[in-house]
Amino acid sequence: MIQAIKGTRDILPEESGKWQFAEATARRVFRRYGFREIRTPIFESTELFSRGIGEGTDIVSKEMYTFSDRGGRSLTLRPENTAPVVRAAIEHNLFQRADSERLYYIGPMFRYERPQKGRMRQFHQIGVEVFGSVEPAADAEIIEMSTVFLRELGITGTDLAVNSVGCESCRPVYRERLRGFLAPRLDELCPDCRRRYQENPLRILDCKAGCRRFLDGSPTLLETLDAPCRDHFEAVRRCLEHLSVPHRVEPHLVRGLDYYMRTTFEVLTANLGAQNALLGGGRYDRLVEDLGGPSVPGIGFASGLDRLILSLPAGAGEATAGPDFFVAVQGPGSFDQALRLVQELRRRGAWAEMDSNPGRSLRAQTRRADQLRARHILFLGEEETRKGELTVRQMEGGTQWEVPASDLERLMGEVSRG
Ligand code: HAM
C-alpha cells in the first residue's frame, strides 16, 4: 500500500475547518494593517536560499529538499518564504509604492528535519513581510499584529521573546567575545558546534544538541550592540510598552537564519513540548540588496500553521451546523421535482441536500438528515406534490408546517428567521 511520505500528512475534512478558520483570521487581521497577499512558486533556484538564508545555517546545510530538474538546474523546495518574497519583489519592482509595501503569504514549506509533534517535513506557514521602513515603530507594529493574530485565534498563555542581534559592525565584536568565552570548553562542544565555533559562533546559541548548557554567564549580544543598534532596540521596546504588548528580552535569541539584523522575536507556547515556537521573525535590512535589489530594509515574521492548529482552543473552527435543508421524497412523482427544488435552494444560497437514489425509504432519508445535522427536512410526498406544497420540519423541536412549493422566497425567509 502506498502511504504518505514520512513528515507529511493529510489534512482531513474533520480538521480542515480549523485551517480555514486560522487562515481567515490571518486575512482579516492582516488587512487591517494594510497587508496584501502574494503567492510565489513552491520551488526556486537553490542559490536563492543558499545566498539568502546563509550557507552555514542548519536549513541550508542539511535540511533542504534540493534536486536537479531535467534541464540540469538545481532547484529547491522552499524551506521558508522570506527569500522568495524578496526575489519576487525585486523581480517585479514592488518597491515603488510611496509608503511601505506590506505582503503576506500562506502556504507549504519543506525542511528535512526529524519529524515529531509540531515538526513536519512539509509544514505550513502564514507569514508577513514589510519593506521600506527602518523605523522602530514598524518593528513594534508587526510584533503587535502578531499578538493580535494569536489573540483572535483564541490562543492564550503565550510568551513573547525579543532581542537584537545587532548589525554587521557590532556583531563581529560579539562573535569574538563569545569565542573567547567558549574557548576553554571547545573540546566539549558537539561536532556541529565545533564547526560553528569557527564559522559563526552565534549558531551555537541555537544548538539543538545541548551545547546551550555551556552558555551560562556568557556575554550577550545586547551588551555588545553599538549605539545606533542599542537606540533602535530601546525604541522598539518603548513602542511595545506604549502599545501595551507584554514581552521579555531574551538575550540569547538568535534565530536560525543569517539574514537577520537588529530586532528578532519569537512567540513561544508551553503546550507543544519541544517544538514551542508558534512564530518567529525579525528585521533583515540587507537582504534585498544582498539578493541584487535596491537598498530597501525589511522586517517580517512567519507562523507555523500546523502548530497554531495544535494550539487552538477546543471547538475553534469546528463546524457546528449541518445543511439548511434536507429534501426527503416519497413516491416516484416527487423525485424529479425534488431535484429541481434542491437546485433552486442552492441557487438562492442555501446548503441543500437530498438522496440521489430515488428508491431510498423515507426512514433512511430521515436518518441521513439526522446524521448530517440538517436544520430542516422538506418533505415532498405524493400528497404535497398534488397540493403544490412542501412540509417543513424543523429538526430542533420538531415543529412542522406547510408552505407553497412555489414560494421559496417565503421558505428562505421563515428559515432564516427561525
Ligand atoms: P522560522 O523561525 O524558521 O522563520 O519559521 C517560522 C515558524 O515556522 C516557526 O516559528 C514554526 O512555528 C514554524 N516551523 C518552522 N519549521 C517547522 C517545521 N519543520 N514544522 C512545523 N513548523 C515549523 C522563518 O521561516 C522566517 N522566514 C520568518 C520570517 C519572515 N522572518 C522574517 N520574515
Side-chain angles (χ1 to χ4, degrees):
M1 200 174 65
I2 301 173
Q3 294 188 321
I5 304 297
K6 182 176 172 187
T8 72
R9 65 193 203 89
D10 303 303
I11 296 155
L12 300 175
E14 285 77 60
E15 216 193 332
S16 57
K18 291 185 181 209
W19 289 71
Q20 288 167 6
F21 166 70
E23 291 167 9
T25 305
R27 293 179 197 281
R28 188 180 69 235
V29 172
F30 298 169
R31 204 181 69 96
R32 292 180 211 151
Y33 293 74
F35 284 83
R36 301 182 301 158
E37 186 177 12
I38 182 165
R39 304 185 190 198
T40 57
I42 63 166
F43 57 88
E44 298 270 357
S45 70
T46 302
E47 191 194 349
L48 173 65
F49 301 112
S50 46
R51 269 173 55 195
I53 303 172
E55 298 275 7
T57 59
D58 278 2
I59 295 180
V60 171
S61 64
K62 45 188 175 191
E63 294 172 0
M64 296 210 300
Y65 279 91
T66 295
F67 58 98
S68 306
D69 75 358
R70 286 168 194 275
R73 303 168 192 89
S74 179
L75 305 178
T76 294
L77 298 185
R78 60 184 187 191
E80 63 100 52
N81 211 29
T82 304
V85 167
V86 168
R87 195 260 318 130
I90 296 170
E91 199 169 319
H92 304 286
N93 207 2
L94 299 186
F95 305 115
Q96 301 283 326
R97 290 222 308 185
D99 53 352
S100 60
E101 181 67 77
R102 295 161 167 239
L103 304 169
Y104 77 87
Y105 49 85
I106 302 178
M109 310 290 154
F110 306 84
R111 293 184 195 174
Y112 192 80
E113 292 189 272
R114 201 162 41 78
Q116 61 181 81
K117 184 181 175 193
R119 189 164 70 196
M120 304 290 295
R121 289 181 173 169
Q122 173 172 336
F123 60 101
H124 303 78
Q125 283 186 345
I126 293 184
V128 304
E129 312 295 347
V130 176
F131 296 108
S133 176
V134 289
E135 298 303 328
D139 307 41
E141 185 187 15
I142 75 141
I143 294 174
E144 190 261 351
M145 182 175 81
S146 77
T147 65
V148 171
F149 173 46
L150 294 177
R151 191 163 61 232
E152 298 209 4
L153 288 173
I155 298 176
T156 51
T158 55
D159 171 32
L160 168 62
V162 298
N163 192 24
S164 173
V165 293
C167 65
E168 57 269 40
S169 68
C170 54
R171 215 174 309 149
V173 180
Y174 177 69
R175 268 192 213 118
E176 277 324 301
R177 282 209 204 167
L178 188 59
R179 280 201 186 101
F181 178 84
L182 287 170
R185 319 206 56 173
L186 186 54
D187 293 344
E188 294 171 71
L189 298 180
C190 74
D192 270 345
C193 281
R194 265 175 267 155
R195 180 180 47 79
R196 291 173 183 140
Y197 180 90
Q198 306 299 343
E199 289 170 5
N200 182 3
L202 258 77
R203 296 263 81 87
I204 299 174
L205 306 189
D206 230 10
C207 173
K208 289 160 193 150
C211 296
R212 278 189 279 195
R213 69 182 187 279
F214 300 120
L215 295 169
D216 280 351
S218 64
T220 66
L221 278 153
L222 293 178
E223 295 158 3
T224 41
L225 293 184
D226 60 17
C229 288
R230 196 170 47 241
D231 290 350
H232 192 273
F233 187 57
E234 276 166 14
V236 172
R237 294 204 55 205
R238 264 199 312 279
C239 208
L240 286 174
E241 263 147 39
H242 181 64
L243 296 173
S244 310
V245 179
H247 61 279
R248 140 183 97 74
V249 176
E250 171 55 67
H252 283 328
L253 176 69
V254 283
R255 316 236 331 103
L257 306 106
D258 280 350
Y259 49 61
Y260 291 117
M261 60 177 283
R262 295 194 167 167
T263 313
T264 54
F265 62 97
E266 273 184 356
V267 175
L268 309 169
T269 169
N271 308 326
L272 283 177
Q275 303 312 312
N276 60 355
L278 281 179
L279 62 86
R283 182 165 275 292
Y284 48 86
D285 291 349
R286 293 278 170 271
L287 182 61
V288 179
E289 224 175 328
D290 287 348
L291 290 175
S295 169
V296 173
I299 178 164
F301 70 81
S303 177
L305 198 38
D306 311 70
R307 294 183 192 175
L308 292 178
I309 302 297
L310 290 171
S311 311
L312 288 179
E318 274 166 28
T320 47
D324 301 311
F325 301 107
F326 189 94
V327 178
V329 298
Q330 200 174 26
S334 317
F335 185 78
D336 287 353
Q337 199 188 331
L339 284 176
R340 273 210 310 279
L341 174 61
V342 166
Q343 180 188 39
E344 189 50 40
L345 288 168
R346 287 173 177 162
R347 277 199 186 139
R348 287 164 190 259
W351 174 5
E353 300 207 25
M354 66 181 282
D355 199 309
S356 51
N357 175 352
R360 195 79 77 205
S361 76
L362 197 56
R363 248 185 86 208
Q365 294 179 70
T366 319
R367 204 165 47 232
R368 179 92 187 108
D370 256 339
Q371 281 167 353
L372 289 171
R373 286 183 291 170
R375 291 169 56 218
H376 305 88
I377 298 195
L378 300 182
F379 288 106
L380 200 54
E382 310 277 334
E383 170 87 7
E384 283 89 357
T385 309
R386 204 179 51 248
K387 294 204 303 206
E389 283 188 340
L390 296 169
T391 303
V392 188
R393 182 195 293 167
Q394 195 163 19
M395 296 297 266
E396 200 186 300
T399 327
Q400 211 161 283
W401 70 98
E402 250 110 66
V403 294
S406 55
D407 199 354
L408 293 187
E409 199 81 51
R410 183 171 140 201
L411 178 63
M412 298 283 292
E414 284 177 4
V415 159
S416 61
R417 274 198 301 281

